[in-house]
PDB file of all heavy atoms in Angstrom:
ATOM      1  N   LYS A 853     125.420 105.246 130.093  1.00  0.00           N
ATOM      2  CA  LYS A 853     124.644 104.078 130.492  1.00  0.00           C
ATOM      3  C   LYS A 853     123.388 103.958 129.633  1.00  0.00           C
ATOM      4  O   LYS A 853     122.606 104.901 129.530  1.00  0.00           O
ATOM      5  CB  LYS A 853     124.254 104.192 131.970  1.00  0.00           C
ATOM      6  CG  LYS A 853     123.492 102.996 132.501  1.00  0.00           C
ATOM      7  CD  LYS A 853     123.156 103.192 133.980  1.00  0.00           C
ATOM      8  CE  LYS A 853     122.356 102.007 134.525  1.00  0.00           C
ATOM      9  NZ  LYS A 853     121.961 102.219 135.941  1.00  0.00           N
ATOM     10  N   LYS A 854     123.232 102.783 128.989  1.00  0.00           N
ATOM     11  CA  LYS A 854     122.010 102.545 128.221  1.00  0.00           C
ATOM     12  C   LYS A 854     120.838 102.528 129.187  1.00  0.00           C
ATOM     13  O   LYS A 854     120.838 101.830 130.196  1.00  0.00           O
ATOM     14  CB  LYS A 854     122.095 101.228 127.457  1.00  0.00           C
ATOM     15  CG  LYS A 854     120.868 100.970 126.583  1.00  0.00           C
ATOM     16  CD  LYS A 854     120.903  99.591 125.920  1.00  0.00           C
ATOM     17  CE  LYS A 854     121.924  99.519 124.817  1.00  0.00           C
ATOM     18  NZ  LYS A 854     121.812  98.257 124.036  1.00  0.00           N
ATOM     19  N   LYS A 855     119.818 103.315 128.867  1.00  0.00           N
ATOM     20  CA  LYS A 855     118.689 103.462 129.779  1.00  0.00           C
ATOM     21  C   LYS A 855     117.535 102.537 129.391  1.00  0.00           C
ATOM     22  O   LYS A 855     117.219 101.587 130.083  1.00  0.00           O
ATOM     23  CB  LYS A 855     118.231 104.925 129.778  1.00  0.00           C
ATOM     24  CG  LYS A 855     117.271 105.298 130.896  1.00  0.00           C
ATOM     25  CD  LYS A 855     116.982 106.800 130.859  1.00  0.00           C
ATOM     26  CE  LYS A 855     115.984 107.179 131.934  1.00  0.00           C
ATOM     27  NZ  LYS A 855     115.608 108.627 131.849  1.00  0.00           N
ATOM     28  N   THR A 856     116.893 102.806 128.257  1.00  0.00           N
ATOM     29  CA  THR A 856     115.724 102.023 127.851  1.00  0.00           C
ATOM     30  C   THR A 856     115.706 101.844 126.340  1.00  0.00           C
ATOM     31  O   THR A 856     116.067 102.763 125.600  1.00  0.00           O
ATOM     32  CB  THR A 856     114.409 102.721 128.276  1.00  0.00           C
ATOM     33  OG1 THR A 856     114.518 103.157 129.632  1.00  0.00           O
ATOM     34  CG2 THR A 856     113.231 101.765 128.136  1.00  0.00           C
ATOM     35  N   GLU A 857     115.268 100.666 125.895  1.00  0.00           N
ATOM     36  CA  GLU A 857     115.043 100.419 124.473  1.00  0.00           C
ATOM     37  C   GLU A 857     113.542 100.364 124.220  1.00  0.00           C
ATOM     38  O   GLU A 857     112.836  99.596 124.865  1.00  0.00           O
ATOM     39  CB  GLU A 857     115.699  99.100 124.042  1.00  0.00           C
ATOM     40  CG  GLU A 857     117.220  99.136 124.085  1.00  0.00           C
ATOM     41  CD  GLU A 857     117.827  97.858 123.525  1.00  0.00           C
ATOM     42  OE1 GLU A 857     117.327  97.371 122.508  1.00  0.00           O
ATOM     43  OE2 GLU A 857     118.795  97.351 124.124  1.00  0.00           O
ATOM     44  N   TYR A 858     113.072 101.193 123.281  1.00  0.00           N
ATOM     45  CA  TYR A 858     111.647 101.238 122.950  1.00  0.00           C
ATOM     46  C   TYR A 858     111.442 100.643 121.555  1.00  0.00           C
ATOM     47  O   TYR A 858     112.118 101.025 120.609  1.00  0.00           O
ATOM     48  CB  TYR A 858     111.135 102.684 122.963  1.00  0.00           C
ATOM     49  CG  TYR A 858     111.260 103.359 124.319  1.00  0.00           C
ATOM     50  CD1 TYR A 858     112.404 104.080 124.646  1.00  0.00           C
ATOM     51  CD2 TYR A 858     110.238 103.275 125.247  1.00  0.00           C
ATOM     52  CE1 TYR A 858     112.533 104.692 125.880  1.00  0.00           C
ATOM     53  CE2 TYR A 858     110.352 103.895 126.489  1.00  0.00           C
ATOM     54  CZ  TYR A 858     111.499 104.603 126.802  1.00  0.00           C
ATOM     55  OH  TYR A 858     111.613 105.208 128.026  1.00  0.00           O
ATOM     56  N   ILE A 859     110.470  99.724 121.449  1.00  0.00           N
ATOM     57  CA  ILE A 859     110.206  99.091 120.155  1.00  0.00           C
ATOM     58  C   ILE A 859     108.721  99.144 119.811  1.00  0.00           C
ATOM     59  O   ILE A 859     108.253  98.430 118.935  1.00  0.00           O
ATOM     60  CB  ILE A 859     110.672  97.610 120.161  1.00  0.00           C
ATOM     61  CG1 ILE A 859     110.021  96.836 121.313  1.00  0.00           C
ATOM     62  CG2 ILE A 859     112.184  97.508 120.239  1.00  0.00           C
ATOM     63  CD1 ILE A 859     110.264  95.340 121.257  1.00  0.00           C
ATOM     64  N   VAL A 860     107.990 100.030 120.483  1.00  0.00           N
ATOM     65  CA  VAL A 860     106.526 100.074 120.275  1.00  0.00           C
ATOM     66  C   VAL A 860     106.126 100.955 119.102  1.00  0.00           C
ATOM     67  O   VAL A 860     105.073 100.784 118.511  1.00  0.00           O
ATOM     68  CB  VAL A 860     105.804 100.562 121.548  1.00  0.00           C
ATOM     69  CG1 VAL A 860     105.949  99.547 122.651  1.00  0.00           C
ATOM     70  CG2 VAL A 860     106.337 101.935 121.991  1.00  0.00           C
ATOM     71  N   GLY A 861     106.951 101.928 118.738  1.00  0.00           N
ATOM     72  CA  GLY A 861     106.608 102.831 117.639  1.00  0.00           C
ATOM     73  C   GLY A 861     105.568 103.858 118.033  1.00  0.00           C
ATOM     74  O   GLY A 861     105.180 103.974 119.206  1.00  0.00           O
TER      75      GLY A 861
END
Side-chain angles (χ1 to χ4, degrees):
K853 182 180 179 183
K854 183 185 288 189
K855 193 175 178 184
T856 314
E857 292 185 42
Y858 298 91
I859 55 171
V860 293

